[in-house]
Amino acid sequence: MAANPYQPELATVEEIIEETPDTRTFRAVFRDPELRESFTYEPGQFQEVSVFGVGEATFCLTSTPTRPGVVEFSVKQVGQVTTALHEMSPGDVVGIRGPFGNWFPYEEWKGKKLLFIGGGIGMAPLRSLLNFCLDNRADYGPIDLIYGARSPQDLCFRNEFDAWRSAPDSRVFLTVDRGDETWQGNVGFVPAYLMDLAPSPENTIAITCGPPIMIKYVLESLEKLHFQPEQIYTTLEMKMKCGIGKCGRCNIGEKFVCIDGPVFSYAQLKELPPEF
Ligand SMILES: Cc1cc2nc3c(=O)[nH]c(=O)nc-3n(C[C@H](O)[C@H](O)[C@H](O)COP(=O)(O)OP(=O)(O)OC[C@H]3O[C@@H](n4cnc5c(N)ncnc54)[C@H](O)[C@@H]3O)c2cc1C
Ligand code: FES
């Protein structure tokens, strides 16, 4: 992180990958060669990205620290900053502050089965952790991913599905709300598909991220499958401004999502007021 956490570091956008009609992944490299070499972060952390003259917005790091030299963030177009980012081309410059926040406690999960459950753009933080675990494959048990989106065109990271599927002891289960003539996977909502697949909670950690309504029903489904709250992790997307616990924009009760989170276990969430 920069000495001054308010000061963005300049990064050049090298590549922009069109994931879905409204989501693009940006691959950026820091202009300072020393920072490019030394920058590191953990799966689950986020950064503040600025478009000069427009504003700043929060995005999780979707790249993984085992693949250094670049930072990647995936952006769903919803408003001012995200639209300005979508209008950018390779060679344009952004500001980056971070990394901020806590991260997935992957050290504690060694030897366990991992069940990733993602929805839409919620796959962005999961991708960072998934690629990290696949790059440290021997540390973990079987890895399953259940990932869903509204339609086949709304699935992000499609160019990585084959690599995820062909990794040792790993499976990918895809589902969409509405299929099309080319779709051969499951049709249905993620929580319902999760119930159909009925994974065992034994020695398993479930990690979920997606639209709030999906997370709500995934948590209910996991409980029905007898997962304990301590076995379930998610990452919250409360609105943020400073990213460093100073502005009070992101608090839930006494917790600041930007420094106490964004990663929480379900056991921790149950202790918080229901504001998220
Ligand atoms: C920890 C964290 C990680 C995030 N990771 C990602 C990511 O990987 N990819 C991604 O596309 N988005 C992510 N977001 C959400 C992203 O920060 C917002 O979509 C972005 O700030 C919108 O900026 P804007 O200027 O384009 O929208 P604005 O012009 O500010 O607002 C447009 C609309 O979006 C709503 N909005 C703005 N900010 C948020 C927010 N944080 N959460 C929910 N609604 C919001 C507004 O209420 C409004 O309806 C993350 C947010 C947090 C806090
Ligand atoms: S974003 Fe400012 S306190 Fe969390």
Side-chain angles (χ1 to χ4, degrees):
M1 198 197 299
N4 178 352
Y6 291 106
Q7 186 183 319
E9 295 288 342
L10 298 181
T12 305
V13 173
E14 272 202 336
E15 196 182 346
I16 302 174
I17 301 152
E18 190 139 348
E19 302 283 359
T20 76
D22 63 11
T23 301
R24 291 182 184 168
T25 295
F26 294 75
R27 229 161 190 251
V29 292
F30 287 108
R31 289 176 69 168
D32 174 355
E34 236 175 82
L35 181 64
R36 202 180 307 157
E37 289 301 307
S38 63
F39 184 82
T40 188
Y41 57 94
E42 297 282 358
Q45 287 196 292
F46 66 90
Q47 58 191 356
E48 296 291 334
V49 177
S50 42
V51 180
F52 297 107
V54 181
E56 194 177 48
T58 314
F59 302 103
C60 63
L61 282 136
T62 187
S63 44
T64 196
T66 42
R67 304 175 190 186
V70 293
V71 287
E72 290 174 340
F73 48 98
S74 298
V75 178
K76 180 169 178 161
Q77 186 179 4
V78 294
Q80 265 193 302
V81 175
T82 51
T83 297
L85 281 165
H86 273 239
E87 284 166 357
M88 283 191 158
S89 309
D92 286 342
V93 173
V94 293
I96 293 182
R97 293 193 297 122
F100 298 134
N102 70 351
W103 52 88
F104 295 105
Y106 55 82
E107 286 286 338
E108 295 168 19
W109 299 345
K110 287 185 174 172
K112 293 188 186 290
K113 289 187 245 171
L114 300 180
L115 171 65
F116 291 80
I117 308 164
I121 182 70
M123 196 58 218
L126 299 189
R127 177 203 187 216
S128 177
L129 180 66
L130 177 59
N131 281 332
F132 179 88
C133 295
L134 293 178
D135 288 348
N136 293 284
R137 191 67 197 86
D139 287 343
Y140 302 95
I143 295 180
D144 282 348
L145 166 66
I146 303 172
Y147 177 40
R150 281 171 304 185
S151 72
Q153 293 71 34
D154 290 305
L155 290 162
C156 295
F157 312 120
R158 274 176 287 183
N159 56 0
E160 283 174 274
F161 292 165
D162 283 344
W164 293 343
R165 271 193 202 106
S166 56
D169 217 359
S170 308
R171 297 183 297 177
V172 175
F173 301 93
L174 300 176
T175 187
V176 293
D177 303 350
R178 291 180 310 279
D180 61 18
E181 59 288 350
T182 63
W183 181 248
Q184 297 186 339
N186 189 70
V187 176
F189 295 129
V190 169
Y193 195 30
L194 170 64
M195 290 307 286
D196 290 347
L197 294 167
S200 161
E202 199 195 333
N203 195 34
T204 303
I205 295 290
I207 311 116
T208 185
C209 187
I213 189 75
M214 183 207 92
I215 294 185
K216 178 177 182 302
Y217 288 111
V218 163
L219 294 176
E220 279 182 24
S221 301
L222 287 170
E223 284 196 309
K224 282 186 201 149
L225 293 167
H226 305 294
F227 279 75
Q228 299 303 308
E230 296 74 21
Q231 291 175 273
I232 306 170
Y233 284 78
T234 189
T235 166
L236 297 184
E237 289 199 1
M238 297 297 283
K239 284 188 187 178
M240 291 185 186
K241 204 172 176 83
C242 69
I244 53 173
K246 303 289 183 202
C247 71
R249 178 87 180 262
C250 69
N251 65 303
I252 305 177
E254 290 178 352
K255 299 277 184 203
F256 289 94
V257 176
C258 66
I259 49 177
D260 298 311
V263 174
F264 292 93
S265 70
Y266 190 29
Q268 290 171 310
L269 289 185
K270 279 177 176 275
E271 300 291 313
L272 295 178
E275 294 166 12
F276 50 88

